[in-house]
Amino acid sequence: MITLQTIWQFVLRHMLHARTAVCVSCLTVPLCSFADEGLPTLLDEAMLPGIVWVTLDSGESISGASGLAHVANKTVMTGDTRVQVGSVTKVLISMGVLRMVSTGALSLDQSVEALLPELSWQNAWRDRAPITIRHLLEHTSGLDNIRMWQFLSTRPTPSTPLIDAFSIGQSNLLTVRSEPGHQYSYSNMGYTLLGMVIEKISGERYEAYLARELLSPLGMQDSTFFFTTQSDDSRLAMGYVGKDLEQAAVPMFLRPAGQFTTTANDMRHLLQFLLGEGDIDGDAFVDSDLMQQLGRSTTTAASRAGLSIGHGLALAMRDRHGVIGDCHPGTTFGFRAYLCVFRDQQKAFFYAINGDIEGVDYERFNVHFIDKINMTVQPIELPSGAEVLAAYTGLYALAPSNMAQFAWLDWLFNSIWITQADTADGLLLQSLQSPDQLLLPLGEHTFRASERSIASHVFLGPDNRRLSNGLYTWERASLSLLLLSWISVLAGIIGFVFVLVRGGWLVLAGKMRAHAGLMLPFLTLVAMALPIGLFWQQSYLRFGELTVASGLFAVLTGLLSLSLGVSLLIETRRSERRWVDLFALVAALQLCVVLVFHDVLPIMFWR
């Protein structure tokens, strides 16, 4: 997803200055202190401010902090520095919901549509597959992930009712895009709905209920779901999105999906609980059978076809760097976090970095902590070589894409092409967005990516028309249609460039009146410089709002098709027609028609 924040991060990420301040504190017994010499080096090489972390290894807990909590003030990270964890919040929300299930207040199979009838549900499968609590927990509801206005907006306050995230005239906001329960599709909206369910059942704000019924029993006394900002809490580290580019905490519409403030010590309590069987001080808190499902996908078509990788009731099973764990990443304004538990080996780690910098290889930190807790390497599943590989080749498109607003862009840039590998008995998966992957056959339509340990992909259906890696699903698509789409895009770009160059030459030559028709789209394109300039003047947090910049941009992008159509009509009636002008106008107009058809134009991120 491209935003102004992404652009700023890309330009500024390399400018963060190095720092070496280190502060380590012991948070647990039996170890009283531990200096991790590798982390300051990783921070400096990645140009990141600071980090807090905690590890668990067979009952031993180690914690520490490195770098700076606030660059300008030279405030160092310490063991009690508070951080924000983004989507790791979902793990806590899940545990709160599972606590309700364990007490009988909720059922995993309870219909959320019936619990929240005040919302405008659009579920074509409602009669046989209403959205349930389990679907929301496992991200299998089929709901969209997020809309721009729900993410980048200054409208929400710390007390904005959760229903406001779904009630701004969006009758199609809760449209179900795939049958509930059949496949994974990450949804921030889904976890906000879980927050609303907690409030409906408890009769109070979810923040207050979970503080009393979840955080207090877990011993997480230094954590909160309530909004906290650096101006109110001097212990909260400052977030960063570039060199000295501070980003204070931001209230959000979908806060149950990503608003949580904590410390490494408190997260140690959570890790210990996740490694257990659901007891707290010997008393049952969450049913043990639910704890076994925290990171195990069992209901999707991919899991039924034999793929272990997927999302359970709280975590996603990840096969990375030779080990398999149940993990959850988190990203929010100025922070990155990661949590991973390895129940079989009774090991775990958590870290939070106060720098969300575009282009940084955060996987290096995962490798560091995997090495720190001495994980046993997972045995590699060997290829079977028994598959008829030609049956799987072809083009596959995301079905559905993660965000409905960007479905057409995902069709262009995130489709994958599968061919038989030249150098091995396997398949080659190619994409514009990722490095090539070699898929080795394991039998029964399952494949293992060469860098993974166990099955990572499975083909679904009697004709193998669908492919899943447990977290994304692709469907066989038409290569001819994709090629036509790219031809349309390239032709349109050429047409627009020609209109700009030709129009600029006509202005300089003083021939605007003689080619008044061609000047219409030229002036429309030139006028777009005004809203683009206004966008750069306003905060990127208003990108999803109706402002002067976004409103003017919507009007101009909406007028673009009209101006091209009128220009084409005028130019065809000229006695001295220039065919190159006509071809350029047709090329640009056809792209506009395609974009209107796919609901890209006019561009309105506030809807």
Side-chain angles (χ1 to χ4, degrees):
M1 177 173 60
I2 300 174
T3 65
L4 291 180
Q5 180 187 19
T6 302
I7 297 171
W8 289 351
Q9 289 174 345
F10 178 80
V11 174
L12 297 172
R13 67 178 185 272
H14 66 284
M15 299 176 65
L16 268 174
H17 64 265
R19 81 292 301 151
T20 57
V22 178
C23 181
V24 178
S25 68
C26 171
L27 301 178
T28 62
V29 294
L31 299 183
C32 293
S33 66
F34 186 85
D36 189 325
E37 297 179 358
L39 281 174
T41 300
L42 284 178
L43 289 175
D44 286 337
E45 291 177 353
M47 293 179 289
L48 292 167
I51 186 172
V52 297
W53 55 272
V54 61
T55 63
L56 282 136
D57 186 353
S58 302
E60 291 185 340
S61 174
I62 306 173
S63 61
S66 298
L68 298 177
H70 196 293
V71 174
N73 297 342
K74 305 299 181 183
T75 307
V76 298
M77 284 284 198
T78 67
D80 65 349
T81 298
R82 304 181 79 188
V83 292
Q84 297 184 324
V85 298
S87 287
V88 175
T89 303
K90 294 180 177 68
V91 180
L92 279 300
I93 295 293
S94 297
M95 302 316 299
V97 171
L98 294 181
R99 171 60 177 166
M100 282 186 156
V101 172
S102 300
T103 61
L106 275 176
S107 165
L108 285 180
D109 297 321
Q110 197 163 349
S111 170
V112 180
E113 298 174 53
L115 278 169
L116 303 173
E118 62 270 27
L119 298 179
S120 179
W121 300 96
Q122 305 292 324
N123 181 5
W125 297 273
R126 176 178 294 182
D127 291 342
R128 70 171 183 266
I131 297 174
T132 66
I133 299 296
R134 179 188 291 275
H135 295 152
L136 295 183
L137 289 170
E138 295 183 341
H139 294 285
T140 59
S141 65
L143 292 171
D144 200 5
N145 180 5
I146 195 172
R147 294 290 177 88
M148 292 294 290
W149 64 266
Q150 294 173 323
F151 175 51
L152 295 175
S153 175
T154 59
R155 291 196 301 265
T157 70
S159 300
T160 296
L162 296 182
I163 195 172
D164 284 9
F166 304 98
S167 60
I168 306 182
Q170 303 291 327
S171 60
N172 66 339
L173 195 61
L174 294 176
T175 297
V176 181
R177 303 168 65 205
S178 60
E179 183 172 349
H182 275 232
Q183 65 187 64
Y184 172 95
S185 185
Y186 193 83
S187 177
N188 281 288
M189 290 191 205
Y191 268 72
T192 303
L193 293 170
L194 286 173
M196 294 181 66
V197 167
I198 293 173
E199 293 188 344
K200 177 63 70 75
I201 299 299
S202 68
E204 60 182 312
R205 285 185 59 164
Y206 83 91
E207 295 100 329
Y209 174 82
L210 292 179
R212 182 180 67 253
E213 301 295 331
L214 177 70
L215 299 183
S216 181
L218 287 177
M220 301 179 69
Q221 306 293 348
D222 211 9
S223 302
T224 181
F225 288 96
F226 284 102
F227 177 72
T228 305
T229 187
Q230 288 82 355
S231 60
D232 299 327
D233 185 355
S234 60
R235 289 172 52 205
L236 176 58
M238 180 60 68
Y240 291 88
V241 294
K243 180 188 178 182
D244 298 339
L245 188 56
E246 300 178 357
Q247 178 55 67
V250 178
M252 58 185 71
F253 279 119
L254 305 180
R255 59 182 185 271
Q259 180 178 287
F260 188 67
T261 303
T262 188
T263 65
N265 188 38
D266 270 14
M267 292 303 288
R268 184 244 321 171
H269 294 299
L270 177 63
L271 294 179
Q272 289 174 329
F273 181 76
L274 294 175
L275 290 175
E277 297 301 319
D279 295 341
I280 296 180
D281 296 329
D283 296 325
F285 189 74
V286 172
D287 290 345
S288 59
D289 61 330
L290 297 177
M291 297 296 292
Q292 298 301 318
Q293 301 176 57
L294 292 183
R296 298 295 182 269
S297 175
T298 59
T299 62
T300 63
S303 63
R304 294 195 301 271
L307 198 66
S308 299
I309 300 299
H311 197 284
L313 296 177
L315 301 163
M317 180 187 285
R318 298 291 178 98
D319 178 2
R320 298 288 190 277
H321 314 298
V323 300
I324 296 176
D326 298 332
C327 310
H328 208 301
T331 303
T332 189
F333 300 102
F335 285 87
R336 287 279 187 120
Y338 204 88
L339 175 153
C340 219
V341 297
F342 307 88
R343 289 174 59 86
D344 292 342
Q345 299 186 46
Q346 286 295 289
K347 300 171 186 284
F349 69 81
F350 162 82
Y351 67 83
I353 299 171
N354 61 330
D356 178 22
I357 313 298
E358 185 75 15
V360 170
D361 182 10
Y362 289 90
E363 277 299 311
R364 295 182 63 191
F365 292 90
N366 294 339
V367 172
H368 178 86
F369 286 107
I370 287 172
D371 291 341
K372 180 183 289 294
I373 59 178
N374 301 308
M375 285 295 302
T376 301
V377 175
Q378 173 74 25
I380 296 176
E381 291 191 44
L382 298 178
S384 68
E387 296 282 359
V388 179
L389 300 179
Y392 304 109
T393 59
L395 179 74
Y396 292 79
L398 283 170
S401 60
N402 188 247
M403 293 179 65
Q405 282 181 304
F406 300 99
W408 188 72
L409 293 176
D410 277 325
W411 157 246
L412 284 178
F413 295 102
N414 287 324
S415 294
I416 59 176
W417 176 246
I418 296 179
T419 59
Q420 288 186 244
D422 295 331
T423 59
D425 186 15
L427 298 173
L428 188 64
L429 188 155
Q430 297 174 293
S431 166
L432 291 176
Q433 298 293 316
S434 305
D436 294 352
Q437 277 190 310
L438 176 63
L439 305 182
L440 302 172
L442 300 178
E444 300 297 326
H445 311 295
T446 61
F447 289 76
R448 174 178 63 81
S450 58
E451 70 275 17
R452 304 292 184 239
S453 302
I454 62 175
S456 59
H457 294 74
V458 62
F459 288 87
L460 306 170
D463 53 0
N464 303 311
R465 289 191 58 82
R466 297 173 74 82
L467 170 65
S468 174
N469 66 357
L471 300 180
Y472 293 96
T473 300
W474 296 266
E475 187 170 21
R476 193 76 66 91
S478 169
L479 177 60
S480 299
L481 185 57
L482 182 63
L483 289 175
L484 285 174
S485 297
W486 271 106
I487 291 172
S488 171
V489 171
L490 294 175
I493 291 174
I494 292 172
F496 281 120
V497 170
F498 180 88
V499 169
L500 280 172
V501 173
R502 172 85 168 136
W505 182 85
L506 291 173
V507 170
L508 294 175
K511 298 181 179 181
M512 297 173 57
R513 182 172 300 179
H515 296 272
L518 191 64
M519 298 308 297
L520 287 176
F522 169 76
L523 292 175
T524 303
L525 289 171
V526 170
M528 288 186 188
L530 178 57
I532 291 173
L534 292 175
F535 273 125
W536 283 104
Q537 295 299 316
Q538 71 179 33
S539 168
Y540 71 87
L541 293 175
R542 303 191 68 192
F543 197 70
E545 297 178 13
L546 176 56
T547 62
V548 174
S550 60
L552 184 57
F553 193 62
V555 170
L556 292 174
T557 54
L559 287 175
L560 194 55
S561 300
L562 179 61
S563 66
L564 286 167
V566 172
S567 178
L568 183 62
L569 182 62
I570 294 174
E571 290 299 311
T572 55
R573 294 184 175 182
R574 284 172 50 85
S575 57
E576 298 179 0
R577 291 187 293 270
R578 281 175 50 92
W579 290 107
V580 66
D581 291 352
L582 296 179
F583 284 137
L585 290 171
V586 169
L589 180 59
Q590 63 79 29
L591 178 57
C592 284
V593 171
V594 170
L595 295 177
V596 170
F597 177 79
H598 289 286
D599 200 27
V600 177
L601 291 182
I603 299 175
M604 296 181 289
F605 289 127
W606 66 83
R607 63 189 177 114

